[in-house]
Amino acid sequence: QLQLVESGGGLVHPGGSLRLSCAASGFTFRNYAIGWFRQAPGKEREGVSCISPSGRSTRYGDSVQGRFTISRDNAKNTAYLQMNSLSPEDTAVYYCAARNWGNCGIDPPSYKYWGQGTQVTVSS
């Protein structure tokens, strides 16, 4: 059974950092692109970043470009999202998702498999 489990969320002060992890099981992780998405209360789900199956290609949303870094370790079946210079506008539930076609993309409808999400709250 395909499973994605996010971890690493929490409460952080503005300007702080967090690293999210997405642990995968039940499928051949190295064959899947991984995306990170977020959803704040009352807002639509937003594409944050994605990484290709090999890890050689990445993309970022405009709002996180230069602050967030996506990576993956195919030997550990885990993807990561390093988030720096966090602001209250980054507060949301963060989800990882997987798809087994294409390079990568940050459009939520193109992903079939989703984790349960982890809360990130940026507040002083």
Side-chain angles (χ1 to χ4, degrees):
Q1 180 180 354
L2 190 149
Q3 190 172 18
L4 298 167
V5 179
E6 302 93 338
S7 62
L11 174 64
V12 63
H13 293 310
S17 298
L18 281 175
R19 189 176 82 153
L20 305 183
S21 297
C22 172
S25 60
F27 64 104
T28 306
F29 182 72
R30 65 179 181 272
N31 291 342
Y32 284 69
I34 299 296
W36 282 99
F37 302 85
R38 66 186 182 186
Q39 189 164 19
K43 295 187 177 181
E44 293 186 354
R45 192 163 295 189
E46 173 190 11
V48 173
S49 183
C50 67
I51 188 165
S52 63
S54 67
R56 285 192 287 267
S57 296
T58 59
R59 289 184 61 187
Y60 296 92
D62 291 341
S63 62
V64 306
Q65 180 76 47
R67 299 188 298 123
F68 290 11
T69 303
I70 192 171
S71 62
R72 66 189 296 160
D73 185 338
N74 285 346
K76 295 183 177 179
N77 290 346
T78 303
Y80 306 95
L81 185 69
Q82 177 66 43
M83 306 186 296
N84 297 330
S85 301
L86 287 163
S87 72
E89 290 69 34
D90 296 312
T91 295
V93 178
Y94 283 71
Y95 301 87
C96 67
R99 74 181 196 191
N100 63 347
W101 62 270
N103 206 13
C104 80
I106 52 174
D107 49 325
S110 71
Y111 286 78
K112 182 176 181 180
Y113 306 106
W114 291 81
Q116 83 290 347
T118 186
Q119 176 71 46
V120 171
T121 302
V122 185
S123 174
S124 56

